[in-house]
Amino acid sequence: MSPVTLNLVAIAIFTVTMTSLLGGILGIPPAVPAVVTAGLLGAATLDNFALEGRGGTLVVDWFSQFSDDHRQRVVHHEAGHFLVAHLLGIPVTGYTLNAWEAFRKGQPGRGGVSFDTQDLGNQMAKGQVPVQKIDAYCAVWMAGIAAEQMVYGNAEGGSDDCQQLRTLWTQIEPPKPASDVKIRWSALKAKTLLETHKETYHQLVDAMMKRLPVEDCLAIANQATMTSA
């Protein structure tokens, strides 16, 4: 059950509790809290089973879009993923910047950069994933956080990115301290790449803000590749 679904259930329980205590004092008809509670529980059930938690994500993200700072941070975060992936040879296939765009493309979550992982999947199936490939993906996962820190001095997003890295790394190196060291190392590598190609990064941010096609964004990212060649 998603956090948003859990919140709906919690609100429903709170509504029942408070109206049972204060309903008589405030003159609230018994039917009112019953209808509200049924509606909240119905929404939670629909979100959990029919929409797999996406409904709540869409609602929360819709409210977030009213904040210009939030929208700016999302673009800077995703542009970091985009550029570092391209620099490290991981094919970028597209990007979305909010939950609605992701939903329309059949993707979970609130959006992000998508990659062609077929080659990685084949290597994992054979148990022959090169260390360099693992290092590259780890740096890409931390690139969003590194981009926010570079631009804003701190990062508000990226908890899911850290969790993905930990999940992968603990399968290779079980001790938790090892995954924490890997997170710091990967963030530093991503930050170094972004600072080295800062001009290209900002051009990519502008392009993604304008929702330019992924092909145009890749053409911009190619400038960094040619510069480092």
Side-chain angles (χ1 to χ4, degrees):
M1 187 176 289
S2 72
V4 176
T5 304
L6 288 172
N7 287 338
L8 288 173
V9 174
I11 292 171
I13 294 172
F14 177 78
T15 301
V16 172
T17 303
M18 294 305 296
T19 52
S20 64
L21 294 173
L22 303 176
I25 299 174
L26 300 176
I28 301 174
V32 173
V35 171
V36 173
T37 302
L40 290 171
L41 291 176
T45 301
L46 176 65
D47 182 45
N48 190 47
F49 292 103
L51 299 177
E52 299 179 347
R54 292 185 183 182
T57 300
L58 286 168
V59 171
V60 171
D61 192 68
W62 181 75
F63 280 107
S64 299
Q65 294 305 308
F66 287 102
S67 168
D68 182 63
D69 179 67
H70 173 79
R71 294 195 303 272
Q72 292 277 342
R73 277 185 177 270
V74 168
V75 179
H76 282 86
H77 185 103
E78 300 305 334
H81 287 305
F82 193 119
L83 182 56
V84 171
H86 187 73
L87 288 170
L88 296 178
I90 297 174
V92 177
T93 59
Y95 69 93
T96 54
L97 299 177
N98 57 55
W100 176 242
E101 291 178 7
F103 181 77
R104 290 177 61 187
K105 293 186 178 183
Q107 300 171 358
R110 300 187 183 184
V113 179
S114 53
F115 312 103
D116 181 356
T117 59
Q118 182 176 356
D119 182 54
L120 176 65
N122 293 336
Q123 291 174 332
M124 291 181 67
K126 297 177 182 178
Q128 300 175 347
V129 183
V131 174
Q132 295 85 348
K133 179 73 71 174
I134 295 174
D135 287 346
Y137 272 94
C138 288
V140 171
W141 276 324
M142 298 308 298
I145 293 175
E148 282 193 62
Q149 291 174 339
M150 182 178 73
V151 176
Y152 296 99
N154 69 312
E156 294 183 356
S159 58
D160 290 343
D161 299 328
C162 290
Q163 186 55 49
Q164 288 187 65
L165 191 154
R166 283 194 178 97
T167 299
L168 171 66
W169 198 249
T170 51
Q171 294 174 1
I172 305 169
E173 296 286 343
K176 183 178 181 296
S179 65
D180 292 338
V181 170
K182 193 64 178 177
I183 285 176
R184 291 194 293 271
W185 180 89
S186 301
L188 179 60
K189 180 176 182 178
K191 181 181 179 182
T192 300
L193 287 170
L194 291 171
E195 289 180 340
T196 301
H197 304 285
K198 187 177 291 187
E199 182 178 349
T200 301
Y201 167 73
H202 287 297
Q203 291 176 6
L204 184 59
V205 167
D206 291 339
M208 293 174 70
M209 282 182 178
K210 297 174 183 176
R211 298 301 201 280
L212 294 187
V214 66
E215 293 79 10
D216 293 351
C217 294
L218 286 170
I220 293 172
N222 275 331
Q223 298 175 20
T225 307
M226 290 186 290
T227 301
S228 59

